[in-house]
Amino acid sequence: MRTTNSCDSLQPRYARLGYVAINVLDLDRSAAFYEQLWGLQSNGGIDDQARFFRCSDNHHDLILFKGEPGLKRVSWQMESEDDIDRIVQRLQSRGHAVVEVNSAETKLLRQGRSVRFADPYTGATHEFFASIEQEATSWTPTLAQIQRIGHIVLKTPNFHEAVEFYDNVLNFRTSDAIGDIVNFMRCFPNPFHHSIGLSRSDSHGLHHLNFMVSEIDDIGRALWRFKKNDIPIVRGPGRHPPSGSVFLYVLDPNGITVEYSFGMEEFPENEARDHRVLPAAPESIDYWGGPTDIRLGKVGMVEPLA
């Protein structure tokens, strides 16, 4: 049940999942995977510490940093600067520290004002910004018809608390759930079925990172491309009952799970359907009933906010 404080009459509004930053062991090897096998476009870097990649007209949608494999941070693009103020006010009114990113770093990131906070329930660092440099040339897919970075799934032992926090504080909306083990949420009013998934687990971690493609043939071509290049396929192809997406999961060179998906239910801003609770059973994960490799979602520590 959503609750609203009197000071929360203006809810923060999201444009999209902005970008995800992950830590990798070998920048060169990981960069080669994401450009030459996954289909992102390289877009510069920061010395020998970070590499930028894009799958949109924004300067970046994925950043690789050198470090222990896992999630560095997840960043959300807000509809306006006022929405940054609204999320800051919500967090601070509940005792959560918010850090302003200094101008030197935002310049490197090609972003406007940006703020960060540490989610106490997943351990993840979240960043919020409204403006980002647009590239002079439009995004043109090549290897795969990637439309956008789609969603991220986080593991947490504080599952119920996390769901309530994302709903009532961050203004995410539950689209569907699988029992009390997975909750799929969209950053309101972004229409896509989920921008984040919360998965009940014994420990914090990154489960997987998703990119959405525009053709089902991208799934088929990727299947054989990955087999040819000895890329571990850990689930799929299959179809998710909650969102209707056709999926394929593989491991990147660090063992981090990444997903292609095709098709996803979209929600109107107003009068959206009620969320469903599917049974906690394998058939709620995959209509097609394929096997799952035990390595799925196993690698991905969460870096704490410095």
Side-chain angles (χ1 to χ4, degrees):
M1 178 69 68
R2 296 180 61 82
T3 59
T4 304
N5 287 357
S6 59
C7 61
D8 289 341
S9 57
L10 293 177
Q11 298 175 334
R13 294 172 60 89
Y14 297 79
R16 63 196 285 269
L17 171 58
Y19 72 87
V20 173
I22 60 174
N23 292 320
V24 300
L25 291 173
D26 186 322
L27 280 175
D28 290 336
R29 186 181 180 203
S30 295
F33 169 84
Y34 282 103
E35 183 174 12
Q36 298 171 20
L37 291 174
W38 197 252
L40 303 181
Q41 180 180 325
S42 177
N43 203 22
I46 303 173
D47 299 326
D48 60 348
Q49 298 301 309
R51 304 282 178 84
F52 295 109
F53 292 87
R54 69 177 181 121
C55 58
S56 71
D57 290 344
N58 284 358
H59 177 264
H60 55 271
D61 300 274
L62 177 71
I63 310 178
L64 306 182
F65 285 88
K66 191 173 178 63
E68 187 68 24
L71 178 68
K72 187 175 183 69
R73 62 177 174 268
V74 54
S75 187
W76 304 95
Q77 186 167 5
M78 313 303 287
E79 285 191 347
S80 70
E81 294 285 335
D82 288 342
D83 291 300
I84 299 177
D85 292 331
R86 290 178 184 124
I87 199 69
V88 168
Q89 190 277 331
R90 280 192 167 209
L91 291 167
Q92 290 181 336
S93 70
R94 292 163 174 81
H96 300 287
V98 179
V99 177
E100 291 275 349
V101 182
N102 66 59
S103 59
E105 186 175 358
T106 57
K107 184 177 180 180
L108 289 172
L109 293 172
R110 316 294 179 89
Q111 295 173 193
R113 178 194 174 203
S114 305
V115 301
R116 294 176 187 151
F117 95 105
D119 172 7
Y121 303 109
T122 68
T125 296
H126 289 264
E127 179 183 88
F128 306 91
F129 70 94
S131 61
I132 186 170
E133 182 178 299
Q134 300 292 288
E135 292 301 306
T137 57
S138 297
W139 161 246
T140 303
T142 53
L143 189 63
Q145 301 298 308
I146 299 175
Q147 293 179 300
R148 62 184 62 84
I149 187 169
H151 62 263
I152 187 172
V153 173
L154 300 175
K155 300 184 293 185
T156 175
N158 311 113
F159 175 74
H160 296 290
E161 297 90 338
V163 170
E164 182 178 8
F165 180 78
Y166 279 72
D167 182 23
N168 289 319
V169 180
L170 298 186
N171 196 31
F172 281 58
R173 305 293 169 87
T174 295
S175 299
D176 285 310
I178 297 177
D180 63 349
I181 58 172
V182 184
N183 195 278
F184 301 100
M185 311 185 84
R186 60 194 188 275
C187 57
F188 185 81
N190 185 283
F192 292 105
H193 182 275
H194 57 282
S195 318
I196 198 167
L198 301 172
S199 176
R200 194 175 71 182
S201 177
D202 293 334
S203 60
H204 295 131
L206 169 65
H207 187 274
H208 73 266
L209 172 62
N210 164 274
F211 292 83
M212 297 172 67
V213 296
S214 61
E215 299 177 4
I216 195 168
D217 290 337
D218 284 314
I219 304 293
R221 285 192 293 264
L223 174 68
W224 298 111
R225 182 169 70 252
F226 295 142
K227 284 181 175 290
K228 179 180 178 181
N229 288 278
D230 296 321
I231 303 300
I233 296 169
V234 290
R235 180 185 283 162
R239 185 184 290 275
H240 289 310
S243 64
S245 300
V246 176
F247 63 79
L248 183 69
Y249 294 84
V250 306
L251 301 182
D252 83 350
N254 307 273
I256 294 172
T257 302
V258 286
E259 176 195 19
Y260 278 146
S261 66
F262 165 74
M264 178 174 275
E265 181 181 4
E266 297 184 32
F267 287 71
E269 179 173 346
N270 300 307
E271 300 182 0
R273 68 164 175 82
D274 291 336
H275 78 272
R276 302 165 298 189
V277 180
L278 284 68
E283 55 267 27
S284 296
I285 298 292
D286 182 9
Y287 274 129
W288 300 355
T292 297
D293 190 302
I294 61 172
R295 294 172 291 178
L296 177 92
K298 289 296 190 293
V299 173
M301 67 166 289
V302 174
E303 179 181 311
L305 177 62

